[in-house]
Amino acid sequence: MTTPSDDDLEPPVDPLEPEYVELVRPYVITNGRDVSDTSRFELITLVTAADDTQRKAHLDPEKRELVTLCEGGYLSVAEIAGHLKLPVGIVKVLLVDLVENGLILTRRPIPPAQLADIQVLQEVLDGLQARFG
Amino acid sequence: MVSRPVSDDTVHLNEKVQIAAKILVVGHFAVGKTTFIGTMSEIPPLRTEETMTQAGESVDDLKGIKGKTTTTVAMDFGRLTLTDRLVLYLFGTPGQQRFVQVWEDMSRGALGALVLVDPQRLKESFAVMDLVEKYGIPYAIAVNHFDGTPVRSDEELREALDLLPETPVVTCDARDTKSSANALMVLVRYLQSRTRKE
Ligand SMILES: Nc1nc2c(ncn2[C@@H]2O[C@H](COP(=O)(O)OP(=O)(O)O)[C@@H](O)[C@H]2O)c(=O)[nH]1
Ligand SMILES: [Mg+2]
Protein backbone atom coordinates (compact mmCIF):
# COMPACT_ATOMS: atom_id res chain seq x y z
CA MET A 1 0.00 0.00 0.00
CA THR A 2 1.01 3.62 -0.35
CA THR A 3 2.74 4.69 2.80
CA PRO A 4 4.59 7.83 3.67
CA SER A 5 8.21 7.55 4.68
CA ASP A 6 9.00 6.59 8.28
CA ASP A 7 9.44 10.20 9.32
CA ASP A 8 5.91 11.07 8.29
CA LEU A 9 4.18 8.22 10.06
CA GLU A 10 3.16 10.04 13.20
CA PRO A 11 -0.10 11.91 12.74
CA PRO A 12 -0.32 15.23 14.56
CA VAL A 13 -0.71 14.74 18.27
CA ASP A 14 -3.31 16.68 20.20
CA PRO A 15 -1.67 17.78 23.44
CA LEU A 16 -5.09 17.95 25.10
CA GLU A 17 -5.76 14.28 24.56
CA PRO A 18 -4.84 12.56 27.84
CA GLU A 19 -3.03 9.84 25.95
CA TYR A 20 0.30 10.91 27.45
CA VAL A 21 0.71 10.57 31.16
CA GLU A 22 3.75 10.94 33.33
CA LEU A 23 4.26 7.96 35.55
CA VAL A 24 5.84 8.53 38.92
CA ARG A 25 8.54 6.11 39.85
CA PRO A 26 7.06 2.63 39.34
CA TYR A 27 10.22 1.42 41.03
CA VAL A 28 8.85 2.51 44.41
CA ILE A 29 5.69 0.41 44.17
CA THR A 30 7.34 -2.75 42.88
CA ASN A 31 10.24 -2.68 45.36
CA GLY A 32 12.59 -2.89 42.44
CA ARG A 33 11.37 -6.33 41.58
CA ASP A 34 12.44 -7.87 38.31
CA VAL A 35 9.46 -7.87 35.97
CA SER A 36 10.72 -10.57 33.64
CA ASP A 37 8.37 -13.22 35.08
CA THR A 38 5.21 -11.29 34.33
CA SER A 39 4.80 -12.80 30.87
CA ARG A 40 2.23 -15.30 32.15
CA PHE A 41 -0.17 -12.40 32.58
CA GLU A 42 -1.88 -10.95 29.56
CA LEU A 43 -4.26 -8.01 29.47
CA ILE A 44 -7.22 -10.39 29.49
CA THR A 45 -5.95 -12.99 31.95
CA LEU A 46 -8.74 -13.43 34.50
CA VAL A 47 -7.90 -13.42 38.20
CA THR A 48 -9.73 -13.52 41.53
CA ALA A 49 -8.86 -13.44 45.24
CA ALA A 50 -8.23 -16.72 47.04
CA ASP A 51 -10.65 -17.71 49.80
CA ASP A 52 -8.27 -16.94 52.60
CA THR A 53 -7.46 -13.28 52.37
CA GLN A 54 -6.93 -12.75 56.10
CA ARG A 55 -3.23 -12.41 55.42
CA LYS A 56 -3.76 -9.39 53.24
CA ALA A 57 -3.59 -7.17 56.34
CA HIS A 58 0.19 -7.45 56.16
CA LEU A 59 0.46 -6.40 52.54
CA ASP A 60 1.60 -3.12 51.04
CA PRO A 61 -1.33 -0.76 50.41
CA GLU A 62 -1.28 -1.35 46.64
CA LYS A 63 -1.42 -5.12 47.00
CA ARG A 64 -4.08 -4.96 49.69
CA GLU A 65 -6.21 -2.79 47.47
CA LEU A 66 -5.73 -5.20 44.58
CA VAL A 67 -6.77 -8.22 46.66
CA THR A 68 -9.79 -6.36 48.01
CA LEU A 69 -10.88 -5.45 44.49
CA CYS A 70 -10.63 -9.10 43.45
CA GLU A 71 -12.63 -10.46 46.40
CA GLY A 72 -15.89 -9.84 44.58
CA GLY A 73 -15.16 -12.18 41.66
CA TYR A 74 -13.13 -12.45 38.50
CA LEU A 75 -11.60 -9.47 36.68
CA SER A 76 -9.13 -9.15 33.84
CA VAL A 77 -5.63 -7.79 34.45
CA ALA A 78 -6.55 -4.74 32.36
CA GLU A 79 -9.63 -4.02 34.48
CA ILE A 80 -7.58 -4.20 37.67
CA ALA A 81 -5.16 -1.68 36.21
CA GLY A 82 -8.07 0.54 35.19
CA HIS A 83 -9.81 0.43 38.57
CA LEU A 84 -6.62 0.89 40.60
CA LYS A 85 -5.30 3.52 38.17
CA LEU A 86 -1.97 1.76 37.96
CA PRO A 87 -0.01 0.99 34.80
CA VAL A 88 -0.55 -2.53 33.49
CA GLY A 89 3.13 -3.37 33.92
CA ILE A 90 2.98 -2.55 37.62
CA VAL A 91 -0.20 -4.57 38.14
CA LYS A 92 1.46 -7.59 36.55
CA VAL A 93 4.40 -7.32 38.92
CA LEU A 94 2.08 -7.10 41.94
CA LEU A 95 0.14 -10.12 40.64
CA VAL A 96 3.27 -12.25 40.34
CA ASP A 97 3.91 -11.75 44.06
CA LEU A 98 0.30 -12.26 45.08
CA VAL A 99 -0.06 -15.47 43.07
CA GLU A 100 3.17 -16.73 44.61
CA ASN A 101 1.77 -16.02 48.08
CA GLY A 102 -1.49 -17.77 47.25
CA LEU A 103 -3.61 -14.66 47.68
CA ILE A 104 -4.64 -14.42 44.03
CA LEU A 105 -5.75 -17.20 41.70
CA THR A 106 -5.72 -17.05 37.93
CA ARG A 107 -8.32 -18.68 35.73
CA ARG A 108 -6.28 -20.83 33.41
CA PRO A 109 -7.00 -20.13 29.79
CA ILE A 110 -8.51 -23.13 28.03
CA PRO A 111 -5.72 -24.74 25.96
CA PRO A 112 -6.00 -23.90 22.25
CA ALA A 113 -6.33 -27.56 21.30
CA GLN A 114 -9.57 -27.78 23.24
CA LEU A 115 -10.96 -24.50 22.06
CA ALA A 116 -10.11 -23.56 18.53
CA ASP A 117 -10.42 -19.95 17.40
CA ILE A 118 -13.23 -21.03 15.13
CA GLN A 119 -15.34 -21.97 18.17
CA VAL A 120 -14.56 -18.73 19.95
CA LEU A 121 -15.48 -16.75 16.84
CA GLN A 122 -18.78 -18.61 16.52
CA GLU A 123 -19.61 -17.91 20.15
CA VAL A 124 -18.70 -14.24 19.75
CA LEU A 125 -20.90 -13.96 16.68
CA ASP A 126 -23.81 -15.83 18.28
CA GLY A 127 -23.49 -13.62 21.35
CA LEU A 128 -23.48 -10.41 19.32
CA GLN A 129 -26.44 -11.59 17.25
CA ALA A 130 -28.46 -12.60 20.28
CA ARG A 131 -27.82 -9.28 21.95
CA PHE A 132 -27.92 -6.82 19.07
CA GLY A 133 -29.59 -8.92 16.36
CA MET B 1 -13.58 -16.56 46.43
CA VAL B 2 -15.85 -14.53 48.67
CA SER B 3 -19.35 -14.69 47.22
CA ARG B 4 -21.41 -11.56 47.05
CA PRO B 5 -24.87 -11.19 45.66
CA VAL B 6 -24.41 -11.06 41.90
CA SER B 7 -27.28 -8.67 41.36
CA ASP B 8 -25.62 -5.50 42.64
CA ASP B 9 -22.16 -6.35 41.32
CA THR B 10 -21.61 -4.72 37.98
CA VAL B 11 -17.84 -4.59 38.39
CA HIS B 12 -16.94 -8.28 38.42
CA LEU B 13 -17.51 -10.90 35.78
CA ASN B 14 -20.27 -13.45 35.88
CA GLU B 15 -18.81 -16.38 37.88
CA LYS B 16 -19.25 -18.81 34.99
CA VAL B 17 -17.08 -16.88 32.56
CA GLN B 18 -14.18 -19.04 31.41
CA ILE B 19 -13.10 -17.58 28.11
CA ALA B 20 -11.83 -14.07 27.56
CA ALA B 21 -11.51 -12.92 23.95
CA LYS B 22 -10.10 -9.69 22.63
CA ILE B 23 -10.80 -7.50 19.62
CA LEU B 24 -8.90 -4.29 18.90
CA VAL B 25 -10.59 -1.04 17.90
CA VAL B 26 -7.90 1.08 16.34
CA GLY B 27 -7.50 4.25 14.35
CA HIS B 28 -5.95 7.68 14.38
CA PHE B 29 -6.69 10.50 16.79
CA ALA B 30 -10.37 11.56 17.03
CA VAL B 31 -11.65 8.92 14.64
CA GLY B 32 -14.15 7.58 17.19
CA LYS B 33 -12.38 4.80 19.13
CA THR B 34 -13.39 5.99 22.59
CA THR B 35 -16.93 6.60 21.36
CA PHE B 36 -17.16 3.11 19.83
CA ILE B 37 -15.90 1.39 22.96
CA GLY B 38 -18.21 3.45 25.16
CA THR B 39 -21.17 2.54 22.95
CA MET B 40 -20.50 -1.19 23.12
CA SER B 41 -19.21 -1.67 26.66
CA GLU B 42 -21.36 -3.04 29.50
CA ILE B 43 -19.10 -1.35 32.06
CA PRO B 44 -18.08 2.30 32.12
CA PRO B 45 -15.05 2.26 29.80
CA LEU B 46 -11.74 2.08 31.58
CA ARG B 47 -8.32 3.42 30.73
CA THR B 48 -5.21 1.39 31.30
CA GLU B 49 -1.70 2.56 30.92
CA GLU B 50 1.39 0.91 29.60
CA THR B 51 4.86 1.99 30.52
CA MET B 52 6.75 3.41 27.60
CA THR B 53 10.47 3.64 27.21
CA GLN B 54 12.42 5.19 24.39
CA ALA B 55 12.21 3.53 21.01
CA GLY B 56 14.18 0.29 20.76
CA GLU B 57 14.70 -0.08 24.50
CA SER B 58 13.45 -3.02 26.48
CA VAL B 59 10.54 -2.28 28.79
CA ASP B 60 11.27 -5.13 31.17
CA ASP B 61 13.72 -3.42 33.41
CA LEU B 62 11.88 -1.19 35.80
CA LYS B 63 14.88 -1.42 38.10
CA GLY B 64 16.91 0.58 35.67
CA ILE B 65 14.66 3.60 35.65
CA LYS B 66 14.78 4.42 39.38
CA GLY B 67 14.14 8.14 39.80
CA LYS B 68 13.55 8.71 36.12
CA THR B 69 10.02 9.33 34.97
CA THR B 70 8.60 7.25 32.18
CA THR B 71 5.99 8.20 29.66
CA THR B 72 2.97 5.98 29.51
CA VAL B 73 0.33 5.63 26.86
CA ALA B 74 -3.31 5.00 27.61
CA MET B 75 -5.55 2.36 26.11
CA ASP B 76 -9.31 2.66 26.30
CA PHE B 77 -11.15 -0.49 26.90
CA GLY B 78 -14.56 -1.95 27.44
CA ARG B 79 -16.19 -5.27 28.21
CA LEU B 80 -19.05 -7.23 26.74
CA THR B 81 -20.21 -10.49 28.32
CA LEU B 82 -21.61 -12.37 25.34
CA THR B 83 -22.49 -15.80 26.72
CA ASP B 84 -22.45 -17.50 30.12
CA ARG B 85 -18.88 -18.52 29.60
CA LEU B 86 -17.44 -15.94 27.21
CA VAL B 87 -16.45 -12.32 27.68
CA LEU B 88 -15.24 -10.06 24.88
CA TYR B 89 -12.88 -7.19 25.62
CA LEU B 90 -12.53 -4.28 23.21
CA PHE B 91 -9.22 -2.42 23.33
CA GLY B 92 -8.56 0.87 21.64
CA THR B 93 -5.33 2.71 21.13
CA PRO B 94 -4.00 5.27 18.70
CA GLY B 95 -1.82 4.00 15.92
CA GLN B 96 1.45 5.75 16.34
CA GLN B 97 4.77 4.13 15.74
CA ARG B 98 6.16 5.13 19.09
CA PHE B 99 3.52 3.06 20.86
CA VAL B 100 4.97 -0.22 19.64
CA GLN B 101 5.12 -1.78 23.11
CA VAL B 102 1.45 -1.16 23.64
CA TRP B 103 0.76 -2.83 20.34
CA GLU B 104 2.71 -5.90 21.29
CA ASP B 105 0.67 -6.33 24.45
CA MET B 106 -2.63 -5.53 22.80
CA SER B 107 -2.18 -7.71 19.77
CA ARG B 108 -1.07 -10.86 21.60
CA GLY B 109 -4.04 -13.22 21.43
CA ALA B 110 -6.32 -10.72 19.68
CA LEU B 111 -8.91 -12.27 17.37
CA GLY B 112 -8.74 -9.32 15.00
CA ALA B 113 -9.01 -5.58 14.66
CA LEU B 114 -11.63 -3.11 13.56
CA VAL B 115 -9.83 -0.21 11.90
CA LEU B 116 -11.90 2.97 12.18
CA VAL B 117 -11.30 5.38 9.32
CA ASP B 118 -12.59 8.84 8.53
CA PRO B 119 -12.96 9.09 4.74
CA GLN B 120 -11.91 12.75 4.93
CA ARG B 121 -8.61 11.88 6.56
CA LEU B 122 -7.56 8.62 4.97
CA LYS B 123 -3.87 9.48 5.03
CA GLU B 124 -3.93 9.57 8.81
CA SER B 125 -4.95 5.91 8.80
CA PHE B 126 -1.79 4.73 7.04
CA ALA B 127 0.26 4.45 10.23
CA VAL B 128 -2.31 2.35 12.05
CA MET B 129 -2.83 0.10 9.05
CA ASP B 130 0.91 -0.44 8.86
CA LEU B 131 0.82 -1.56 12.48
CA VAL B 132 -2.06 -4.05 12.17
CA GLU B 133 -0.37 -5.49 9.11
CA LYS B 134 3.03 -5.60 10.80
CA TYR B 135 1.57 -7.53 13.74
CA GLY B 136 -0.37 -9.82 11.40
CA ILE B 137 -3.74 -8.90 12.88
CA PRO B 138 -6.61 -9.63 10.50
CA TYR B 139 -8.85 -6.58 10.17
CA ALA B 140 -11.97 -5.04 8.74
CA ILE B 141 -12.40 -1.35 7.89
CA ALA B 142 -15.19 0.56 9.63
CA VAL B 143 -15.87 3.86 7.87
CA ASN B 144 -16.98 6.49 10.32
CA HIS B 145 -18.93 9.11 8.35
CA PHE B 146 -18.89 12.29 10.32
CA ASP B 147 -21.86 14.58 9.87
CA GLY B 148 -21.84 16.66 6.73
CA THR B 149 -18.85 15.03 5.09
CA PRO B 150 -19.26 13.83 1.52
CA VAL B 151 -19.62 10.07 1.14
CA ARG B 152 -16.87 8.36 -0.79
CA SER B 153 -17.43 5.25 -2.81
CA ASP B 154 -16.09 2.01 -1.38
CA GLU B 155 -14.04 1.63 -4.52
CA GLU B 156 -12.30 4.95 -4.03
CA LEU B 157 -11.64 4.11 -0.41
CA ARG B 158 -10.32 0.63 -1.17
CA GLU B 159 -7.93 2.07 -3.67
CA ALA B 160 -6.72 4.83 -1.35
CA LEU B 161 -6.12 2.35 1.48
CA ASP B 162 -4.78 -0.33 -0.86
CA LEU B 163 -7.08 -3.01 0.58
CA LEU B 164 -7.13 -6.66 -0.39
CA PRO B 165 -10.34 -7.59 -2.23
CA GLU B 166 -11.48 -9.76 0.68
CA THR B 167 -11.02 -7.08 3.36
CA PRO B 168 -14.50 -6.06 4.51
CA VAL B 169 -15.50 -2.40 4.45
CA VAL B 170 -18.51 -1.44 6.54
CA THR B 171 -19.97 1.95 7.42
CA CYS B 172 -20.38 2.56 11.10
CA ASP B 173 -21.66 5.29 13.38
CA ALA B 174 -19.65 4.84 16.56
CA ARG B 175 -22.39 6.56 18.56
CA ASP B 176 -24.98 3.97 17.57
CA THR B 177 -25.14 0.56 19.25
CA LYS B 178 -26.69 -1.34 16.35
CA SER B 179 -24.35 0.17 13.82
CA SER B 180 -21.28 -0.53 15.97
CA ALA B 181 -22.41 -4.09 16.76
CA ASN B 182 -22.96 -4.65 13.05
CA ALA B 183 -19.38 -3.57 12.30
CA LEU B 184 -18.13 -6.08 14.88
CA MET B 185 -20.24 -8.83 13.32
CA VAL B 186 -18.86 -8.05 9.86
CA LEU B 187 -15.35 -8.38 11.29
CA VAL B 188 -16.12 -11.65 13.08
CA ARG B 189 -17.71 -13.21 9.97
CA TYR B 190 -14.60 -12.26 8.01
CA LEU B 191 -12.38 -13.83 10.69
CA GLN B 192 -14.47 -16.99 10.46
CA SER B 193 -14.06 -17.18 6.71
CA ARG B 194 -10.28 -16.83 7.08
CA THR B 195 -10.10 -19.56 9.72
CA ARG B 196 -12.06 -21.95 7.52
CA LYS B 197 -9.68 -21.37 4.64
CA GLU B 198 -6.56 -22.11 6.69
N1 LIG C 1 -20.68 12.35 13.50
C1 LIG C 1 -19.99 11.44 14.19
N2 LIG C 1 -19.18 11.85 15.20
C2 LIG C 1 -18.49 10.92 15.89
C3 LIG C 1 -18.59 9.55 15.58
N3 LIG C 1 -17.77 8.86 16.42
C4 LIG C 1 -17.19 9.79 17.21
N4 LIG C 1 -17.62 11.02 16.91
C5 LIG C 1 -17.17 12.28 17.56
O1 LIG C 1 -15.81 12.50 17.21
C6 LIG C 1 -15.08 12.99 18.30
C7 LIG C 1 -13.85 12.12 18.57
O2 LIG C 1 -14.26 10.84 18.95
P1 LIG C 1 -13.41 9.92 19.97
O3 LIG C 1 -14.23 8.70 20.23
O4 LIG C 1 -12.99 10.70 21.17
O5 LIG C 1 -12.13 9.59 19.09
P2 LIG C 1 -10.80 8.79 19.47
O6 LIG C 1 -9.71 9.79 19.59
O7 LIG C 1 -10.56 7.88 18.32
O8 LIG C 1 -11.02 8.04 20.74
C8 LIG C 1 -16.04 13.04 19.48
O9 LIG C 1 -16.47 14.35 19.64
C9 LIG C 1 -17.18 12.13 19.06
O10 LIG C 1 -18.38 12.54 19.62
C10 LIG C 1 -19.47 9.14 14.53
O11 LIG C 1 -19.62 7.97 14.20
N5 LIG C 1 -20.14 10.13 13.85
MG1 LIG D 1 -9.83 8.26 22.54
Side-chain angles (χ1 to χ4, degrees), chain A residues 37-114:
Chain A
D37 46 359
T38 60
S39 58
R40 59 181 290 198
F41 294 104
E42 292 189 20
L43 287 169
I44 59 170
T45 303
L46 304 181
V47 309
T48 193
D51 274 330
D52 170 30
T53 55
Q54 297 306 313
R55 287 173 296 142
K56 80 178 179 183
H58 307 288
L59 296 172
D60 303 338
E62 287 83 10
K63 285 186 190 160
R64 206 182 318 138
E65 215 186 326
L66 195 161
V67 173
T68 303
L69 173 64
C70 292
E71 280 171 354
Y74 278 90
L75 285 174
S76 64
V77 170
E79 282 170 289
I80 292 169
H83 286 301
L84 299 183
K85 300 197 167 32
L86 288 173
V88 173
I90 303 295
V91 168
K92 288 182 185 173
V93 173
L94 299 177
L95 284 171
V96 168
D97 270 358
L98 289 167
V99 167
E100 221 167 72
N101 300 340
L103 286 162
I104 288 284
L105 310 172
T106 64
R107 178 148 279 178
R108 292 244 162 268
I110 298 177
Q114 288 169 41

Side-chain angles (χ1 to χ4, degrees), chain A residues 17-19, chain B residues 28-35 37 47 74-76 92-94:
Chain A
E17 166 92 326
E19 228 94 69
Chain B
H28 61 72
F29 172 71
V31 76
K33 301 179 295 294
T34 303
T35 306
I37 289 165
R47 299 209 115 188
M75 292 176 284
D76 291 312
T93 204

Side-chain angles (χ1 to χ4, degrees), chain A residues 19 43 88 92, chain B residues 22 24 26 48-53 59 71-76 91-108 131 135 137:
Chain A
E19 228 94 69
L43 287 169
V88 173
K92 288 182 185 173
Chain B
K22 176 164 69 172
L24 312 185
V26 299
T48 63
E49 292 167 6
E50 284 284 0
T51 308
M52 301 303 296
T53 53
V59 75
T71 308
T72 66
V73 57
M75 292 176 284
D76 291 312
F91 281 89
T93 204
Q96 276 131 312
Q97 288 295 66
R98 66 199 201 88
F99 301 153
V100 161
Q101 285 147 4
V102 175
W103 274 78
E104 278 173 5
D105 230 22
M106 276 208 328
S107 62
R108 200 180 315 131
L131 280 165
Y135 286 96
I137 310 163

